[in-house]
Amino acid sequence: MSSQPIVYSSDHSNGALRTHSWRTVANSVAYLRPHIQPEMSILDVGCGPGSISVDMAKLVPKGRVVGIEYTPDPLNEARAFATQQGVTNTEFQVGDIHALDFPDNTFDIVHAHQVLQHVADPIQALREMRRVTKPGGIVAVRESAELSWYPESPGLEAYWNLASTMARLKGGNPHPGKKIHVWAQEAGFERSNITCSSGAWCFSNPEQREYWGGSMQERTLSSAFATNAVEMNLASQEELKDIAEAWRDWIKNDDGWFSLLHGEIICRKE
């Protein structure tokens, strides 16, 4: 087993799960969709509440999807979601990306979405993802790279400065999307076998602002993110309340706009 520390600065509280459960193949894995075939076996690393895992399972009716997470906290929700969707070719289990509990050459695709930024050793993680991928198979990774919003807001600026500082102090790598192809080469992939792309999320209409801003507001007030911020002396309770109010103001602003740019890689194993 790996002895790598857990560096995730949030948790699987309602605010975090609200964000993760929104993710689907269409809005988060479109770059990989053309490569998915009905008979494939897929490992979804850092599956969270299983929304992407279950969505991918629907695309592999003759195959299977295994979702792993470093903690059991969200896995019952993932199993319940699969049942609710009538999906039977999934399984969910606890696992460590630094030391995957699968034999070499097990999966056709090994996928991770917004995971490498939260682990202690992303290059070792990619080595393990490569190891359990079949020859000719794919390691697919998507990570945030840049963030932008309107209107300018000291509160939102404070949130992202706080989140980035906390992640670095805990040993994470915030928003590494622009260099994940470099990590992949360090993990053993030839540059000629890595295809880079980018994708974006945008939140601007009232429903989108309520979803995104509301989940960020909830994280700020009632999650491990809030607890860590205070315990690490990075923010006071009053400062966190001010940040949460800034998110609420952004939600109410009809001109509010928020976008995240993501780096994406398809790595082919020879």
Side-chain angles (χ1 to χ4, degrees):
M1 291 295 293
S2 167
S3 60
Q4 294 285 358
I6 295 169
V7 302
Y8 188 36
S9 57
S10 188
D11 57 7
H12 293 90
S13 61
N14 288 337
L17 290 178
R18 182 179 176 186
T19 306
H20 299 164
S21 298
W22 168 83
R23 299 171 183 174
T24 64
V25 168
N27 66 34
S28 300
V29 200
Y31 74 105
L32 178 60
R33 175 63 184 89
H35 301 277
I36 300 176
Q37 301 299 321
E39 71 287 350
M40 284 182 163
S41 59
I42 300 175
L43 176 63
D44 188 21
V45 183
C47 63
S51 58
I52 290 176
S53 307
V54 171
D55 222 14
M56 288 195 294
K58 295 175 183 178
L59 300 175
V60 291
K62 299 178 183 179
R64 66 173 181 141
V65 174
V66 178
I68 67 167
E69 187 58 72
Y70 78 92
T71 172
D73 294 351
L75 297 184
N76 282 338
E77 181 169 335
R79 296 181 185 107
F81 181 64
T83 299
Q84 187 264 328
Q85 292 290 304
V87 170
T88 59
N89 58 335
T90 59
E91 60 181 279
F92 298 97
Q93 59 193 60
V94 174
D96 180 359
I97 193 173
H98 301 98
L100 294 170
D101 191 20
F102 302 100
D104 296 358
N105 309 323
T106 298
F107 298 96
D108 297 294
I109 294 174
V110 179
H111 166 263
H113 185 275
Q114 311 290 9
V115 173
L116 296 186
Q117 61 188 278
H118 298 303
V119 304
D121 189 342
I123 296 168
Q124 172 61 17
L126 281 163
R127 289 192 191 105
E128 278 293 278
M129 293 172 73
R130 183 177 185 274
R131 179 184 66 79
V132 303
T133 302
K134 296 176 182 178
I138 287 172
V139 171
V141 174
R142 189 179 200 238
E143 298 283 337
S144 60
E146 298 288 346
L147 305 93
S148 184
W149 59 85
Y150 182 87
E152 295 300 317
S153 166
L156 269 59
E157 186 79 32
Y159 179 92
W160 292 110
N161 287 339
L162 173 60
S164 297
T165 299
M166 186 187 304
R168 290 190 182 95
L169 288 174
K170 288 180 70 66
N173 301 275
H175 312 305
K178 62 187 176 183
K179 62 181 179 182
I180 51 177
H181 62 295
V182 177
W183 286 350
Q185 291 173 77
E186 294 183 48
F189 288 100
E190 294 293 331
R191 181 64 182 87
S192 59
N193 291 327
I194 302 171
T195 301
C196 300
S197 59
S198 62
W201 291 337
C202 184
F203 308 100
S204 61
N205 68 34
E207 182 180 11
Q208 293 166 345
R209 295 197 310 274
E210 181 60 45
Y211 152 70
W212 182 253
S215 62
M216 295 299 105
Q217 180 184 34
E218 191 169 358
R219 282 193 191 196
T220 303
L221 294 176
S222 56
S223 72
F225 175 86
T227 302
N228 286 331
V230 174
E231 291 181 350
M232 296 171 70
N233 295 316
L234 298 176
S236 67
Q237 291 286 3
E238 286 304 313
E239 287 170 327
L240 291 175
K241 289 178 182 178
D242 289 343
I243 291 172
E245 187 59 33
W247 278 113
R248 179 50 52 185
D249 290 342
W250 178 82
I251 291 168
K252 293 176 181 178
N253 190 325
D254 288 340
D255 293 325
W257 178 94
F258 197 105
S259 184
L260 289 85
L261 176 69
H262 303 91
E264 304 161 342
I265 51 172
I266 297 284
C267 306
R268 186 74 66 172
K269 180 179 177 180
E270 293 183 328

